[in-house]
Amino acid sequence: EVGKMKGECFRPLGRYDFLDLGEVEENTQRAQLCRTIKRFIIDPALAKLVTHHLGPDLEESKAVIFECNPGPGVLTRTLLNSGAQRVVTLEGEKSFLPDLQALECLLDGQLEVVHCDFFKLDPMGRGSMRPPAMYTDKLFTDLGISEANWTDEVPVKVVGILPQRIERSQLWKLLYVLFDRLSIYRYGRVELNMFISEKEYLKLMAKPGDMLNYRAFGALWQMACHIELLHKEPWASFVTSSKYKLAIPKSRLPNDNLCLVRMTPRKDLFSASLTPSNAATLVMMVKQCLAKRKARLVDRLNMWSPDSGPKLLKEMGMQEDVLTGHVYPEEYKQLFELVDKSQEFTQSWLYEEVLENTQKEGWI
Amino acid sequence: MINETWCDHNNIQELKSLCSPDLEFLTIKCRPHYLPRELSSIIITAAYIPPQADISTALNKLYLTLCKLETTYPEAAFIVAGDFNKANLKTRLPKFYQHIDCATRAGKSLDHCYSNFRDKYNSRPPFGKADHDSILLLPAYRQRLKQEAPALKNSHNNLLTDPPWTSQRRHFSALIPKKEDGKKRVWEQSQLLDVLEARIQQLQSDIVLDVQHAKVQFVNASKSGRGASSGKSHKNVSGGRTELPKVGQTISNGGGKDASAYKSRKLIKAKGKGKASKEPAPEFSEARDQELAELERKTEAKAQELLMQDNSEARMYEGVQLSVHCYLEACVFCGDIDRAQRLLLTHHRMISRRNLLNIGLYNVMMRVWAKKGSLNQIGRMFILVEEAGLKPNLTSYCAALECMGRTPNCSPKVINRVLRQMKEDGLCVEELFRLCVFRQDERDMVLRAIHTVEPDFQPSINTVLHTCSSPLVKDFYTERADAKYPKLAFSLEELRERFSRQLSMEQASTITIHSVEAMKPVTPHMAKMRALLAEQRMVWHKALVGALRESNMILASITPKAVRLSLYPYLCLMDQKDYVDIMIQSLSNLPPSGESLHILAKELGNRVHNKFCIRMKSHNQMVDKLSHIYNEYAELLAKDSKDFDVLPRERWWKLEAEHNSGPSLLGDNTQWPHTVVVELGTYLVDLMVKHMKVNSDILNPANDRKFIPVLYHMYTFRSNKQVGFIKPHPILTQMQQDAMETTLTFDSYVMPMLCPPVPWTSAKFGAYLLTPTKMMRTVVGANQHEILLEKCQDADLHAVLDSLNQLGNAAWRINQPLLDIIISIFNDKGNEKLDIPPPNSEAPKILRYSQQDLATYSSAEKAHLKRELVKAKKKCSEMHSLRMDALYKLSIANHIRDEVFWFPHNMDFRGRTYPCPPYFNHLGSDVTRAVLVFAEGKPLGPGGLKWLKIHLVNLTGLKKRSSLAGRLEYANTIMDDILDSADNPLNGKKWWQNADEPWQALACCMEIANAVRSPDPTHFISHFPVHQDGSCNGLQHYAALGRDVIGATSVNLIPCEVPQDVYSGVAQQVEEFRARDSEKGLKIAQVLEGFISRKVVKQTVMTVVYGVTRYGGRLQIEKRLKEVDDFPKEYVWDASHYLVQQVFSSLKEMFTGTREIQDWLTESARLIAKSGNTVEWVTPLGLPIIQPYHRTRTQMLKGTIQDLSLQITHDSKQKPDTVKQKNAFPPNFIHSLDSTHMMLTALYCYSAGLTFVSVHDCFWTHALTVDTMNKVCREQFVALHSQPILQELSNFLLQKYCSGLS
């Protein structure tokens, strides 16, 4: 009886009962109507590929999938079709909501639709806090997701396309909240599966020794997360809402791709000596050190606390003349842990410098 | 396979080679005999990517190698050639251009040739019989060759007629040579050959089909008799980013007759000299050669003439010229003539650089040789000038004559010849005396030379003064009979004495004064710290002097790269001690939170430049002459000398013309380029960071003793930018804070002047006695304003100059009782309500939290704590800077408390006037305005007391809507409060403290009290300045321009019973809109009920005329709404959004004309900017204005400490910034009108004998003369707007920007 009644308002999704993805052309048109400049996944094959990378065992995985700005919902449907247990779509654009909500109604709680822009979570400004802007705690509380331990399994997988214009600042913002364990990272090791431009990806993954690209940005991400390149897709495969092409500025590297990158926070990121409360100091230290990659590390350390540089380097087993641009992210972390223990450093005035510089970047 | 005649084998170097399954390549670097200047070398890569190779790996390898080479040799030309099979290098190196566009093998193009020059080559259809076809690449622009069959033979015939270097760089073949007769080989690089041979082997094994390759015929180049290169495959490495078209042009006999061909001939000649033996005789006939040379000279001369014609616009190479000029001047100043001469010659010898030079640079050296009396050298310089295709100008001849004057018994023949040549060049001797700037005894020497041939010659004194043509000031200049120009209340003697004090202050270039904190008692700890600090300073001083000396020695010993300008001469201008003084001075001004490197460097650099300018003036011996003229000029102002009917500018001008012997007063030293200033500053900062150290246990003996630096270089991060910062060590900060040092050192121009300023007589001369000052303040480095002012007719600027002089001539005094009260509060605990910043001890404590504590907090609490901490830190640094600012102002005021002083004035690019001393002036805050009174006292007269009372009510901010009579009446009712405030300012009822401007109100209370208690208030001598404030000037001008009656009424342009208040009007209108929307049920309109007031909309209305946008307007209103306590906070954003829209539409309703005018101005500016021009206009008083907004250019400055990138937004070579040009035009135009009105009022007040000062739209005068000033002000407003201002603007714009169109 109950099943019958429910059947009238929604259709339970059977294993072989697939949602129709809709016509590609129609979806494209709808996506192009979006007023803000965005990219969308419309191609069913691409959606399938992304789903595949989120898997393999979507049906068994307990992690909630957050899909950012799904638009016409091709990926949403593909995810559901491949058996995702719980999908939350965060759609910032009002015009896409009705359709998604209709889909939500059809299903038995596998899909939740929220009017929210993932990239506008916890804004710095003090404008009106109306959707699509939102505080994370409201979002997570509403969804019934509670705070988790850092070492727990990944609670949430986020999939989406980083808006190109704010790519770098978004990644910085995420980095800050990650080290501070604020915002989404209060709820555990949230895994990001993001399409980012190839240029940014190369910066993200730059290795020590690459004096041009190896910067604090990449070093810190590598330190904090296990980063995996899942897939490269030419940006022409996406549908862009703007009448102007969202061209990626030309540089000398081949970069007309978007890279699907998985960033899983490391289980062992935090330890007895590195905690969310002093991680800001670590971030500051790495930023200071890598501001100039061809400076000698020992000089930097000496600046923070005179004469302590050689001692620390010896403890680390590093060469006296090592350049800051040659030090691996892991080594920076070890270095910080040593520094944090050292009495001399806690007296150093530069140690307090950290707080002063969070003015613009201290996301909550 | 490099031809010996093209490139000596010693100049070939192998850079890199690689043999792998995916890629084989060899890279060599050549430095051929002949190479365009802009290229350092040619880097050739021969590459082979086998068909089965992994293309991506191969390309990546190639890419990495080339990138590395590109960074190592940024100036090199790159050529990559070879068999790429299917690979395309362009995917990795988009900057490289592929030149082969036809099939090279079996219908496919497998062989590619890349270079970093686009479109410079056309490939010719293949020839030869190899399996890979040979391709001949020819420069793209050759016309002649197109007519000829692209046969190899022809091409080689052409070679014969060409100088070898041109031919060799023309051709390029991607052909890979096959095995050939070893004897005939001429190439040098056997290694390259090996690679290529290996490649051939591969080809042979790859391609079975091929049978023809063995029969390939080579056209043997050696047949041409010059041992020239190798058949089809001479490596052609021509190139040049810009030079290229010129280079390849002289191809076939006859060459082209166009200018670029001649240019290339010139190149040959220049480079060919001295190497003539190597140059095989070309088939040019001698005669032809000469003919060409002749033609070339003529065309060049013509081009030069064109260039000279519009000197001001031909500043294409200005950047280089300016830096070379400053470098030369600096070298000359520190006596390093060799260095200067060397630099000029190296520039002269390099054609690419020579083209950048102008006559001014040669003149610098001529003047040096003239001083030395070396006629020989002068002669050589003239030859160089001619060689460079420049024309000697007045200064050049002046130097020549000076030199002859210095040479004893110089033959009259020589002098006559010079004079004759001058005449031929169209220059006359009279002009020479009128226009040249003389230093030291130059003028007398020139005159002596002329006297040897023309004993009776006397330079005529031009005393005819032109007057300003603007109809607005015609009366002012022509009808002087009634004018009674004010005199100063000083005797001639006093003025002269003041002058000499000012002069010695400026000569010292810095001044040390006691701070007002000196009044505090000295504790033993303070005394100890002071001693410690003084001792440290000595140590640092010594260390820095040593370091500077050492680094100078190193710099001197480095022979600089040919054209690189080192900092060395800039570091030798003064004693090391002087530089170090500057460094130590900047140390004490460093805020505890540090300063960005850029700002610090700029400050240091500017200080050095300032000091240098002052030294330069003494060096040029102009101080005596200045004293002489000033002492006579003082008669004009002194009360005990006769009356003059001339203006200060005219008097000075006349005196200068009369005393024409000796050096010119006009300093001709140029402002250093900004890059030099910053580079020099960075250099000094670097020294400071490296060499100033202190023992770490100096304050706390418990610490380990380490020798640690006092300053640190680090980075702060602002959004995604990293900013280099210099921070003081906390030890230094603590020492400074504890010592509470009681002396402050300032640059001398920070102090007001002790004597009346030198009147502005031109845009370049005026204000301080020695300190260089610009009449128009500009962004550093922007010179378009200066160029524009230079272009103006002298007389057109007179009105502007005279009004500046008038403002500068007002004498000031300190209001001592008030200053004492303020200082007492300042030295106590400050008072934020009264705008006296409290000392650091009152700052909020910065909480330190330990990690244990933190662990107990929730993340929200932690975030909160963090925010609090950031806030506290921010507050602390804000408080510090406010406190220091107040300390500077009060200390300066206190230092001159018994003096009479003057503020010299200059203006910004829109004509708004400002006093030059930066900290303490009448434009400042309520506090500084309150301590200033006129030095001259005038009786109150019949209406004076009334004006004092009204002024007081105005200062309180009350009774805004009452008439003057109403305000006066109000003042009379509160006389008790007024007198109480005056008598017991700090212990009484404190009525004054609630005024809008409390300190000025208090000062006014005291003045009123004194006046009413005097026996006869009408005879009471008052020094008090009474202000008349404009009511929304911007809107007034708009209303007047648009003849907008309703608008005009609301801004008081039409007489009314009570003053109208536009802000209340707008508020009322907004309220009406709100009520309407509220009825319609709009939520936010309902919420806003009862909250719309004058205060909420005032700022937005006021700034709307100055171009505030909706965005900015919303922020303003948001701020106001937040101040309203009971307004629900959650609605602030929506409400502000709603209100700003309503304000805009209300204004539109009230000022109909305004909007239209604004739109017209905006649209005009947009179109002008779009057409690539910057918006220019001329004010009704003749001041030319140009908006200096251009697209941003980034300039990198290399420094030892860090590289600095400067954002330059005013570079006139960049396109205009359309958005800024368009948005800024309406407000700038209105500002320029407003300033014009102020200047007119100033001028007419001057002729009425009034004391007049202005703070933009607020005019000040004595109480006695308020009525007169008001009358002048109104008359001038009417006069100004009786002019067809908009019509004239329109005409000007049409003429300026549309004259070329039909």
Side-chain angles (χ1 to χ4, degrees), chain B residues 1188-1206:
Chain B
Y1189 315 124
H1190 290 267
R1191 291 198 191 155
T1192 314
R1193 172 170 71 89
T1194 314
Q1195 183 168 24
M1196 287 298 289
L1197 271 189
K1198 292 248 174 228
T1200 40
I1201 209 167
Q1202 111 182 46
D1203 294 349
L1204 277 175
S1205 80
L1206 309 180

Side-chain angles (χ1 to χ4, degrees), chain B residues 399-416:
Chain B
L401 288 171
E402 177 199 343
C403 184
M404 290 163 192
R406 279 186 212 280
T407 319
N409 311 322
C410 184
S411 126
K413 251 194 222 158
V414 182
I415 297 170
N416 265 327

Side-chain angles (χ1 to χ4, degrees), chain B residues 463-523:
Chain B
T463 43
V464 183
L465 263 175
H466 299 280
T467 49
C468 189
S469 59
S470 168
L472 288 166
V473 285
K474 199 168 161 248
D475 293 354
F476 176 74
Y477 285 109
T478 50
E479 292 166 26
R480 299 195 181 194
D482 300 338
K484 35 179 183 181
Y485 301 128
K487 287 255 181 188
L488 295 170
F490 299 100
S491 68
L492 191 58
E493 211 46 47
E494 282 172 314
L495 284 177
R496 287 177 179 168
E497 187 261 340
R498 282 166 191 283
F499 166 79
S500 64
R501 279 170 54 206
Q502 172 71 21
L503 186 66
S504 55
M505 181 168 91
E506 284 191 45
Q507 273 173 324
S509 89
T510 55
I511 178 169
T512 301
I513 63 171
H514 285 287
S515 93
V516 288
E517 283 177 337
M519 295 167 188
K520 286 186 181 174
V522 180
T523 63

Side-chain angles (χ1 to χ4, degrees), chain B residues 1168 1287-1301:
Chain B
I1168 291 168
Q1287 186 58 50
E1288 271 169 13
L1289 176 67
S1290 161
N1291 293 346
F1292 179 85
L1293 295 181
L1294 280 175
Q1295 192 255 325
K1296 169 108 197 151
Y1297 300 104
C1298 310
S1299 51
L1301 312 166

Side-chain angles (χ1 to χ4, degrees), chain B residues 1059-1071:
Chain B
Q1060 298 296 304
D1061 180 38
V1062 65
Y1063 310 118
S1064 309
V1066 173
Q1068 224 165 2
Q1069 182 75 51
V1070 171
E1071 174 60 24

